[in-house]
Amino acid sequence: MNILMERYADIILRRALALEEGDVLSINTEEENSEFAHLIASKARAITGNGSYIQNIENGKVTETEEAATDFPIEKRPTALLYLPVYKPYREAEDGKIFTAPEIQMFRHLSEPLDNSEPMLPFASAPVPSDEWGKVLDDEGNASLSASLLSDLLGLGEDDYLENDESSLLLYEKDKLNDLALVSGHLQDEEGTDLEFSFLPGSEFATTITKLKSGRTFIPTIYSSDIFRALDKTSATGYFTTTRPFMLFGHIIRSFSARIENGKITEFSADEKASRLIRLYLEQDSNAGVVSELSIAEESTAAANIEYFALPEWDRMRGVNLTLGGPRPESLREPEARLNANDSLITLSLPVGTDTLIFTAEDGEGNEYTIMEDGFIREE
């Protein structure tokens, strides 16, 4: 196992899951990732003093459970969970087909249930470099291409790779935004975006950094740089143009423009191939074309400097993004927000802003604030 994967395992255990002494880790994976799973189990033991469970998955079912990195039977249930997904090849999406939830999940567009309960244990999903992931990034790609993305994103080539964590700053910025009690916003970008919207009542700004009732924090997506909040599903009005590539049904879309009225796409423009896939997306359910969430990340982050990950959970951390379809439930803090948020089986995050975008917002008393300018969140 090379040094990059050794360091990636450290990031997963020490930064994302923040394992502690006494923890027991459960790793779900497929045979393809077995070697990496055993490396993680070995490193976990050095932190926790315990072995780990490795559960092998085939066709979505657990076929075997192994107690790894231990000389004795593990007499404790898991206290932390890790999933090592295998990047699967995409099949062609058929025109006019209405997909089931498992099929949507295969394309990485399945939304999260809005009534998700708060997690009880730290968990994370850690994509592993592979030839299939490399091929999605580049027709000539291989595992080394996806490995280089991990290295660039997580600073794995730096001696201080475990210290390159901006979680504290991100949580500070999130709290400052919530202190402003914003009710509406406006995005303007010379590259083709002018959109006004209202935030969903009962929602607040959130990040992918998750906090348990015990106070323990973890990062389910391994890396976190964005702050997001649900929007009133009928409020967005104007137009937008995407500014970076994004993935739709397994294909890279380079450019997409749309007009929004009363929160929903009314017309759009894209090349022939992209238009076919966008129409297919919008046909999946009646709320698929609703603008449901705003996500912001500074242009100075590692993710913003990478054109394309082919992983929605990281692609939405590049600059400013709008979500169509189902929003993430983490920002829905009050019961009224969960009842009134856009409910859709499918979700799609669209990059709409770079360092030329200006994001302004107002509070309930009409005070206006410049939230983002020149690619940075501003301190008022």
Side-chain angles (χ1 to χ4, degrees):
M1 194 67 65
N2 63 35
I3 188 66
L4 182 148
M5 298 306 289
E6 293 264 358
R7 291 182 170 188
Y8 187 31
D10 290 338
I11 292 287
I12 292 168
L13 298 176
R14 297 182 181 275
R15 186 192 299 176
L17 289 172
L19 282 193
E20 301 173 349
E21 185 176 356
D23 275 339
V24 171
L25 179 63
S26 178
I27 306 168
N28 283 20
T29 190
E30 297 183 30
E31 185 62 32
E32 182 178 325
N33 290 333
S34 176
E35 183 180 0
F36 188 49
H38 281 86
L39 170 67
I40 290 174
S42 176
K43 284 181 171 285
R45 180 177 181 175
I47 299 170
T48 67
N50 291 320
S52 297
Y53 297 102
I54 297 180
Q55 294 188 312
N56 188 63
I57 300 173
E58 293 182 12
N59 300 318
K61 296 181 179 180
V62 176
T63 59
E64 181 182 8
T65 299
E66 173 189 355
E67 296 186 2
T70 182
D71 299 324
F72 308 97
I74 303 173
E75 298 180 349
K76 186 176 180 180
R77 294 191 177 199
T79 61
L81 310 173
L82 174 64
Y83 177 44
L84 302 178
V86 172
Y87 208 107
K88 305 286 187 180
Y90 291 105
R91 67 185 184 192
E92 191 65 28
E94 305 170 26
D95 287 351
K97 179 177 174 60
I98 302 301
F99 296 105
T100 64
E103 289 171 328
I104 294 173
Q105 177 64 25
M106 289 176 64
F107 286 114
R108 302 174 186 271
H109 296 310
L110 185 66
S111 63
E112 298 179 57
L114 298 180
D115 59 353
N116 265 3
S117 58
E118 293 186 355
M120 302 297 292
L121 302 175
F123 67 92
S125 178
V128 182
S130 68
D131 288 344
E132 282 300 335
W133 185 5
K135 289 175 184 176
V136 174
L137 295 167
D138 185 327
D139 290 340
E140 304 298 324
N142 52 39
S144 64
L145 184 57
S146 49
S148 70
L149 285 185
L150 279 179
S151 183
D152 292 344
L153 180 68
L154 301 173
L156 300 180
E158 306 297 327
D159 289 340
D160 60 348
Y161 67 99
L162 274 176
E163 300 173 14
N164 292 334
D165 184 8
E166 298 181 349
S167 296
S168 296
L169 176 60
L170 192 65
L171 292 171
Y172 168 79
E173 291 176 333
K174 181 260 295 183
D175 290 342
K176 292 291 286 185
L177 286 173
N178 282 325
D179 288 344
L180 295 177
L182 302 174
V183 299
S184 63
H186 187 190
L187 302 179
Q188 288 182 296
D189 193 319
E190 61 188 29
E191 297 191 43
T193 293
D194 192 339
L195 193 72
E196 295 181 336
F197 51 84
S198 297
F199 291 108
L200 180 65
S203 70
E204 66 178 23
F205 288 97
T207 76
T208 51
I209 300 171
T210 302
K211 188 174 184 178
L212 301 176
K213 289 182 179 180
S214 65
R216 184 170 175 177
T217 61
F218 63 97
I219 307 175
T221 54
I222 306 301
Y223 172 85
S224 180
S225 68
D226 67 329
I227 299 169
F228 57 91
R229 186 176 176 185
L231 304 183
D232 183 319
K233 61 187 177 184
T234 64
S235 68
T237 301
Y239 55 87
F240 67 78
T241 298
T242 57
T243 52
R244 289 179 168 98
F246 62 95
M247 183 177 69
L248 181 56
F249 292 123
H251 293 276
I252 298 175
I253 307 298
R254 298 287 176 182
S255 182
F256 166 44
S257 299
R259 181 164 291 279
I260 308 296
E261 293 181 12
N262 300 320
K264 197 168 188 177
I265 290 178
T266 57
E267 57 182 295
F268 66 84
S269 175
D271 64 33
E272 183 177 354
K273 180 178 181 180
S275 293
R276 181 182 73 82
L277 294 172
I278 291 163
R279 281 194 295 270
L280 181 61
Y281 170 84
L282 295 174
E283 290 168 355
Q284 294 308 303
D285 68 42
S286 60
N287 290 327
V290 172
V291 180
S292 63
E293 182 183 272
L294 172 71
S295 176
I296 61 174
E298 295 189 325
E299 289 292 322
S300 59
T301 64
N305 295 321
I306 296 172
E307 183 186 53
Y308 184 64
F309 290 101
L311 293 169
E313 59 268 33
W314 289 346
D315 282 325
R316 67 188 177 210
M317 296 185 187
R318 304 164 301 160
V320 176
N321 283 251
L322 293 171
T323 296
L324 298 179
R328 286 167 281 180
E330 288 86 351
S331 76
L332 309 177
R333 301 312 301 173
E334 302 296 332
E336 63 174 310
R338 293 178 181 265
L339 287 173
N340 296 322
N342 186 52
D343 191 7
S344 176
L345 186 66
I346 197 165
T347 189
L348 177 65
S349 186
L350 301 170
V352 300
T354 58
D355 57 3
T356 59
L357 179 136
I358 299 175
F359 169 27
T360 57
E362 290 188 0
D363 63 19
E365 297 180 355
N367 299 309
E368 184 173 295
Y369 305 88
T370 299
I371 305 301
M372 285 195 75
E373 191 173 21
D374 299 325
F376 291 91
I377 297 174
R378 289 184 52 176
E379 287 280 348
E380 291 287 344

